[in-house]
């Protein structure tokens, strides 16, 4: 899942082979997250808690090394707290959905925040959509309808899992709005650190409230440790390093490696077979994610 963003270089995009490799590797690291959530035996919300708690010392070091001169005033602190609350609900909903639906669906719907932000930008700008934006919304609706219908054919549990992942995409969109404003002043790592600090106790409270086991059981600490490092450090770090070197269209296309890898893992590990109708639905949602990142003339929210 695309859980990091960095502002593009306004002076132009200068990407080399290492930047492209980092872009792909970052998406691959994030794509393995749903598999690790299933491997963890702590409960899905508890896995999200450890995912944010364990990397905090490394995040603090990265935030200190990449610190910016911008001061952390009350307004920025409140923005980070608000972003942290939405991020907690995002991860909780997404992890619950991961255990109830197919990995490919979970990854696609969890990334739906890009399309939601595009729609929000149109509403905020009070204007009609451009042709690419209208095509993106239409593709998202058609693809989501196909995938939701297919999940309902499989089981009601899978359908409910899709809804949790769609809710995660909505929460992620609302996380991005305050987080991006704070990131422009404080830097990506500092905001991620503050957001994680704000979200961690909320996730722990939610896990305890629903009666999940918090400590790992027979599976041990390996799944949650690898989840924390691969998602919050490796995946985030590679994307922070690479995203500013690419235009939004390339970033959107690279994002599609995530559902492709998730579908492959779902097939090889969990026997989640895809029929042609599933592939059509995935292609439509994937096209919507790419179109949502194509810059419009005005009113775009990034």
């Amino acid at each position: 899942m695309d859980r990091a963003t960095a502002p593009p270089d306004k002076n132009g995009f200068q990407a080399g082979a290492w930047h492209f490799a980092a872009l792909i590797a970052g998406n691959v690291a994030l794509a393995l997250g749903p598999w690790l959530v299933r491997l963890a035996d702590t409960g899905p919300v508890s896995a999200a808690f450890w995912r944010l708690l364990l990397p905090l010392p490394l995040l603090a070091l990265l935030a200190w090394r990449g610190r910016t001169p911008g001061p952390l005033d009350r307004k920025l602190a409140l923005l980070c707290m608000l972003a942290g609350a939405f991020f907690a609900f995002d991860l909780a909903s997404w992890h619950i959905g991961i255990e109830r639906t197919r990995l490919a669906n979970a990854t696609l719907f969890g990334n739906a925040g890009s399309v939601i932000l595009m729609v929000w930008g149109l509403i905020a700008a009070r204007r009609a959509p451009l042709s690419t934006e209208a095509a993106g919304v239409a593709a998202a609706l058609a693809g989501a309808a196909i995938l939701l219908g297919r999940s309902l054919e499989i089981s009601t549990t899978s359908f409910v899992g899709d809804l949790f992942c769609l809710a995660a995409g909505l929460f992620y969109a609302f996380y991005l709005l305050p987080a991006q404003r704070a990131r422009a002043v404080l830097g990506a790592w500092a905001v991620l650190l503050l957001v994680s600090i704000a979200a961690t106790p909320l996730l722990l409270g939610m896990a305890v409230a629903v009666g999940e086991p918090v400590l790992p059981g027979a599976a041990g600490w390996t799944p949650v440790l690898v989840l924390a490092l691969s998602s919050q450090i490796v995946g985030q770090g590679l994307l922070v390093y690479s995203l500013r070197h690419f235009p939004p269209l390339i970033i959107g296309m690279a994002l599609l490696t995530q559902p492709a890898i998730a579908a492959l893992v779902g097939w090889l590990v969990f026997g989640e077979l895809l029929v042609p109708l599933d592939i059509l639905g995935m292609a439509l949602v994937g096209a919507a994610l790419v179109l949502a990142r194509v810059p419009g003339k005005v009113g775009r929210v990034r």
Side-chain angles (χ1 to χ4, degrees):
M1 195 177 186
D2 178 9
R3 296 295 188 225
T5 56
D9 184 355
K10 294 181 180 179
N11 296 321
F13 302 104
Q14 297 180 352
W18 284 110
H19 298 127
F20 184 74
L23 178 66
I24 298 301
N27 278 286
V28 170
L30 293 172
L32 297 177
W35 180 24
L36 295 167
V37 170
R38 287 192 181 178
L39 291 180
D41 57 0
T42 58
V45 181
S46 298
F49 163 71
W50 291 114
R51 170 180 179 160
L52 295 189
L53 179 68
L54 293 176
L56 283 180
L58 282 174
L59 285 178
L61 176 61
L62 291 168
W64 178 77
R65 293 188 61 183
R67 62 190 182 280
T68 61
L72 178 61
D73 57 21
R74 181 179 179 182
K75 181 179 179 181
L76 287 174
L78 289 175
L79 283 175
C80 291
M81 291 178 63
L82 180 62
F86 281 119
F87 196 40
F89 285 110
D90 161 48
L91 284 182
S93 298
W94 193 46
H95 282 204
I96 291 172
I98 285 169
E99 295 203 338
R100 287 165 170 76
T101 190
R102 295 173 291 179
L103 293 188
N105 285 26
T107 305
L108 279 170
F109 288 144
N111 278 305
S114 299
V115 179
I116 294 169
L117 280 179
M118 180 178 66
V119 175
W120 175 261
L122 294 173
I123 295 173
R126 297 181 180 179
R127 66 173 177 86
L130 302 175
S131 58
T132 54
E133 294 165 336
V137 173
L141 292 175
I146 291 173
L147 293 176
L148 287 170
R150 284 283 300 136
S151 287
L152 194 56
E153 289 179 11
I154 296 172
S155 70
T156 55
T157 299
S158 182
F159 178 76
V160 170
D162 283 351
L163 296 181
F164 269 105
C165 293
L166 281 170
L170 178 63
F171 286 129
Y172 186 62
F174 283 104
Y175 149 75
L176 281 179
L177 292 172
Q180 288 178 336
R181 293 178 62 185
R183 189 179 291 122
V185 178
L186 300 176
W189 288 116
V191 171
L192 183 58
L193 173 64
L194 294 172
V195 164
S196 298
I197 291 173
T200 298
L202 291 176
L203 287 167
L204 179 59
M206 284 187 276
V208 172
V210 298
E212 286 187 4
V214 176
L215 295 176
W221 286 93
T222 300
V224 291
L225 182 60
V226 176
L227 173 66
L229 292 178
S230 64
S231 297
Q232 300 305 111
I233 300 297
V234 177
Q236 299 275 8
L238 290 174
L239 292 186
V240 167
Y241 167 73
S242 63
L243 286 187
R244 69 186 63 193
H245 300 284
F246 295 94
L249 180 59
I250 299 301
I251 295 171
M253 294 178 67
L255 173 64
L256 298 185
T257 60
Q258 291 191 37
I261 291 171
L264 181 62
V265 172
W267 172 48
L268 294 176
V269 180
F270 302 104
E272 298 175 356
L273 299 177
L274 299 178
V275 302
L277 193 58
D278 293 319
I279 297 173
L280 174 61
M282 291 177 61
L284 287 170
V285 176
L289 294 177
V290 173
L291 290 172
R293 291 178 176 266
V294 176
K297 294 181 180 179
V298 293
R300 294 308 303 271
V301 179
R302 298 183 185 280

